[in-house]
Amino acid sequence: MSADGFVHHACLYGTDAEFLATAVPFVRDGLAAGEPVLAATTPANLDLLRRALGERAHALDTAETAYFGRRPVERVSAFLRYHDRRARPGRRTRMLAEPMWCGRSARQVAEWKRMESGLNVLLAGLPVWMICPYDTRTVPADVARAACATHPARMDGRRLIPCAGYAEPAAYAAGVAPPRAPAPAGASRAGPTTAASAVRLFARERAVAAGLDGERLGLAVLAVCEAAAYLLAPGGTRLAVRAWEEPGQLVYELLCTGPSAVPAFAGYRPPGNRPEPEDGLWLARTLSESLDIRAQGALTRLTLHVAGPRTFG
């Protein structure tokens, strides 16, 4: 396989043997070719893989997938960081990267599905071959189906099977909307405004009223301000802000009309050596518990959740 461009495959497995049938040749072939190989999967699967590889296991880079990016924006950063650190000229980088699905909320599941699709855009052009295993014994049925919509093909052992249901990433992301409750009638409102300072004042007032203080207060306000700055950057944009509390969280909703066109996967790439307009949005994604952007005709809606005062960790 050529070392040019991103290759993204799923692996649906229902037994340990089926996992190994795909994982072992993928890893062995990469190590034999002198390619960097990462396995980010469950501790049980890492143990299976190490025992199957024997002495070759020492050359494999490993990570427990639960700690390899807690949220989608962190996961994308982890992939890029591994590639940047381990890439070798003229050689492909291999990643066996199993997402974690169990125990996630409906909103988190939707965000991870969108990220899996977004990788086809975010990592495009990089010499990376990624296989994403899905354990059909534990993942929900809709997640298993989504694997074939977010990956162009799947691996079954060494056999490559095209995914007939693969969807173009931007279209898929638009159709997989995290559950969103409408703003309650008592939500606080500000704007519309073109002034970032007005957004900052409102964000701080609402965070203080919700009981945030210290570092948590500062990070919440920074997340809202960076998101607002991204939406206001094109100029001529008017921004309205709403805020309300949910159990354990404070929600901000930024609504704007004007010349704001937000790419489907904006703000997932960490800042590089040159400043880019999306750098602030990446920071907002990193500082918040979740950030979702939706375009509805001329209206852009950005919903941002930050941890409330009684959330620890």
Side-chain angles (χ1 to χ4, degrees):
M1 182 178 292
S2 168
D4 297 328
F6 180 57
V7 177
H8 194 203
H9 295 151
C11 167
L12 300 175
Y13 69 96
T15 66
D16 292 351
E18 288 176 351
F19 169 78
L20 291 172
T22 296
V24 171
F26 176 72
V27 171
R28 276 184 177 158
D29 291 353
L31 295 178
E35 298 172 343
V37 184
L38 168 70
T41 181
T42 65
N45 281 346
L46 289 176
D47 186 57
L48 287 170
L49 193 52
R50 288 179 180 125
R51 285 192 276 122
L53 292 171
E55 292 184 358
R56 297 305 306 274
H58 295 290
L60 175 67
D61 295 321
T62 61
E64 289 189 26
T65 194
Y67 304 105
F68 192 71
R70 183 175 67 90
R71 294 176 296 125
V73 65
E74 296 168 350
R75 185 82 160 189
V76 173
S77 295
F79 288 144
L80 292 171
R81 187 166 54 248
Y82 179 78
H83 171 265
D84 291 346
R85 290 179 178 175
R86 299 285 281 122
R88 299 175 188 174
R91 297 190 186 276
R92 183 176 292 280
T93 299
R94 299 191 185 210
M95 302 184 195
L96 187 75
E98 182 157 14
M100 291 295 294
W101 300 100
C102 294
R104 296 197 184 279
S105 68
R107 185 175 69 243
Q108 290 172 328
V109 168
E111 290 172 351
W112 277 78
K113 286 178 180 178
R114 295 177 71 196
M115 183 213 68
E116 279 280 76
S117 181
L119 291 175
N120 297 294
V121 175
L122 297 165
L123 303 188
L126 291 182
V128 171
W129 183 5
M130 181 181 293
I131 295 180
C132 302
Y134 285 66
D135 188 344
T136 58
R137 295 168 295 187
T138 59
V139 302
D142 66 296
V143 170
R145 288 193 297 270
C148 293
T150 57
H151 299 76
R154 63 185 182 91
M155 296 294 297
D156 184 358
R158 289 185 178 273
R159 187 161 62 107
L160 181 65
I161 304 170
C163 290
Y166 176 69
E168 190 277 326
Y172 181 83
V176 182
R180 186 183 68 84
S188 302
R189 301 168 185 263
T193 180
T194 59
S197 58
V199 176
R200 175 181 293 275
L201 178 61
F202 176 79
R204 182 178 179 82
E205 288 176 344
R206 291 299 91 213
V208 170
L212 274 67
D213 57 12
E215 182 180 78
R216 183 159 294 185
L217 169 63
L219 294 178
V221 174
L222 180 58
V224 176
C225 289
E226 291 292 346
Y230 177 79
L231 295 176
L232 290 169
T237 302
R238 294 174 63 80
L239 194 64
V241 190
R242 296 189 286 198
W244 65 92
E245 294 181 59
E246 293 182 356
Q249 295 188 326
L250 177 60
V251 184
Y252 291 94
E253 187 177 70
L254 284 64
L255 303 163
C256 70
T257 55
S260 178
V262 182
F265 304 104
Y268 278 97
R269 282 182 170 274
N273 294 327
R274 298 173 56 185
E276 298 288 346
E278 293 182 13
D279 290 353
L281 190 60
W282 175 85
L283 182 58
R285 285 193 186 277
T286 302
L287 295 177
S288 59
E289 288 298 301
S290 70
L291 188 154
D292 182 62
I293 306 176
R294 296 286 162 179
Q296 300 170 308
L299 176 70
T300 299
R301 183 191 308 271
L302 186 152
T303 308
L304 184 150
H305 291 72
V306 298
R310 295 180 178 83
T311 302
F312 295 91

